[in-house]
Amino acid sequence: MKTKHYPDDVSQNFLKLRNQLISATGKAIGDYNMIEDGDTVLVCMSGGKDSHAMLMILLALQERAPINFKLIAMNLDQKQPGFPADILPAYLEKLGVEYRIVEADTYSIVKEKIPEGKTTCSLCSRLRRGIIYTTAQQLGANKIALGHHRDDIVQTLFLNMFYGAKMKAMPPKLATNRGEFMVIRPLAYCAEKDIAAYARGMQFPIIPCDLCGSQENLQRQKIKDMLNNWEREQPGRINNIFRAIGNVEPSHLADVDLYDFKHLSQAREEDEDPMFDHEKLPANDMALTIATQDDKRIEFARKPFPVAVATEE
């Protein structure tokens, strides 16, 4: 039986948005070869809008894909006080997808090990990652799907630049350290605002995110506000930044491990700086030319262009 992918009373605009998200996700999967025939994908569900959207879009793609792959939804119950543990199991049962609820009291470990007021994200993240990897191993999953979207990736780039002095973002596809699993981010090409609009239309049972108030989250919120202000001033800027992450010119950065600056003696054509490529232009296209020069001074002047003279026929 096919999964019901949207409510009955949605608008044409919603269907257009849904198709755009499915198309963007499918393109990201194809561009990075995220999912292959025979894969078992562990879909990590936090209960937020992003993971809900990811699961539903992957289910839609699973029905139309020319390959066969398995999806297993997973939710990690970290035993935080007030977490509504019944919401996701009920929803996933109704949806008819295979799932696992994983219970692990990481909350008490973090509270015990991290002093009050200190950042908890690092320890919490390591514990969560270990649980996810162990669950994937137990279920025979070779791919782990996370719900990070385009805006998350761009925010991480600026977080690492501003606070870590490193040019680093979230890759759409990443091999784990021991190579056991491949972490994939199918929503890498999707904008957060589109995902939010889609989630509202789908009426997902969203579980509110209980932020811990740590410094890392405060920093991320500041970066997010900065980027959103830029986007209001110049729409399309976030997408341009994301595209730049995948359009890197190592010869125009400064990483000596990434590019051999020490032994650079002559630029290759593909590395040449545009400010020095005037020799590629035809002579007649030069707007300035040397007018006078001596041993102290060189003067450039506007080059006179020939005036076309009309001729009688």
Side-chain angles (χ1 to χ4, degrees), residues 84-98:
D86 59 322
I87 290 180
L88 271 177
Y91 174 72
L92 295 171
E93 283 284 351
K94 184 178 179 181
L95 201 57
V97 300
E98 184 176 349

Side-chain angles (χ1 to χ4, degrees), residues 223-251:
I223 295 293
K224 183 175 182 177
D225 292 342
M226 178 192 75
L227 290 167
N228 287 337
N229 287 335
W230 286 358
E231 186 71 17
R232 283 190 288 271
E233 293 172 4
Q234 184 179 335
R237 184 173 287 186
I238 291 177
N239 195 52
N240 283 343
I241 296 170
F242 176 77
R243 290 174 60 196
I245 295 172
N247 188 23
V248 178
E249 294 192 24
S251 65

Side-chain angles (χ1 to χ4, degrees), residues 212-225:
C212 62
S214 70
Q215 187 61 37
E216 180 175 316
N217 283 323
L218 293 176
Q219 291 169 348
R220 181 172 287 276
Q221 187 59 49
K222 290 177 182 177
I223 295 293
K224 183 175 182 177
D225 292 342

Side-chain angles (χ1 to χ4, degrees), residues 19-59:
N19 289 337
Q20 288 173 346
L21 288 171
I22 291 174
S23 176
T25 303
K27 180 169 173 50
I29 290 172
D31 285 351
Y32 292 93
N33 195 28
M34 292 185 187
I35 299 176
E36 301 171 271
D37 192 46
D39 280 347
T40 296
V41 183
L42 186 67
V43 184
C44 296
M45 296 283 296
S46 67
K49 68 183 189 313
D50 305 326
S51 59
H52 271 295
M54 176 176 64
L55 175 62
M56 191 59 71
I57 292 170
L58 287 176
L59 286 169

Side-chain angles (χ1 to χ4, degrees), residues 7-226:
D8 294 326
D9 57 348
V10 295
S11 66
Q12 288 300 312
N13 285 338
F14 173 84
L15 293 177
K16 182 179 178 181
L17 172 63
R18 171 182 175 271
N19 289 337
Q20 288 173 346
L21 288 171
I22 291 174
S23 176
T25 303
K27 180 169 173 50
I29 290 172
D31 285 351
Y32 292 93
N33 195 28
M34 292 185 187
I35 299 176
E36 301 171 271
D37 192 46
D39 280 347
T40 296
V41 183
L42 186 67
V43 184
C44 296
M45 296 283 296
S46 67
K49 68 183 189 313
D50 305 326
S51 59
H52 271 295
M54 176 176 64
L55 175 62
M56 191 59 71
I57 292 170
L58 287 176
L59 286 169
L61 288 169
Q62 185 184 44
E63 288 188 355
R64 64 181 69 178
I67 59 172
N68 293 313
F69 59 92
K70 183 178 180 181
L71 298 174
I72 305 176
M74 169 201 164
N75 171 247
L76 174 56
D77 180 354
Q78 298 178 270
K79 299 303 176 182
Q80 293 183 356
F83 180 76
D86 59 322
I87 290 180
L88 271 177
Y91 174 72
L92 295 171
E93 283 284 351
K94 184 178 179 181
L95 201 57
V97 300
E98 184 176 349
Y99 71 92
R100 296 292 189 282
I101 303 300
V102 179
E103 298 184 13
D105 188 1
T106 62
Y107 177 80
S108 63
I109 296 174
V110 169
K111 296 297 287 184
E112 176 187 329
K113 300 296 183 183
I114 304 297
E116 190 69 31
K118 297 294 183 179
T119 300
T120 61
C121 290
S122 179
L123 176 58
C124 185
S125 177
R126 290 201 305 272
L127 292 170
R128 191 168 60 246
R129 189 183 309 123
I131 293 165
I132 291 171
Y133 289 176
T134 300
T135 302
Q137 187 177 49
Q138 290 294 312
L139 297 177
N142 61 318
K143 301 285 176 67
I144 298 170
L146 304 179
H148 299 118
H149 45 66
R150 182 203 68 181
D151 298 53
D152 287 324
I153 293 172
V154 172
Q155 290 162 21
T156 301
L157 172 70
F158 280 90
L159 272 171
N160 283 317
M161 285 197 299
F162 288 177
Y163 302 106
K166 183 176 290 187
M167 192 77 74
K168 175 184 175 183
M170 290 176 174
K173 182 179 180 182
L174 175 70
T176 58
N177 289 342
R178 290 186 293 179
E180 293 178 274
F181 314 106
M182 198 69 66
V183 175
I184 60 175
R185 296 181 168 96
L187 301 182
Y189 288 176
C190 299
E192 182 177 20
K193 63 180 178 60
D194 293 337
I195 294 172
Y198 172 68
R200 288 192 297 271
M202 289 295 296
Q203 303 170 14
F204 292 134
I206 303 298
I207 298 175
C209 181
D210 183 20
L211 293 177
C212 62
S214 70
Q215 187 61 37
E216 180 175 316
N217 283 323
L218 293 176
Q219 291 169 348
R220 181 172 287 276
Q221 187 59 49
K222 290 177 182 177
I223 295 293
K224 183 175 182 177
D225 292 342
M226 178 192 75

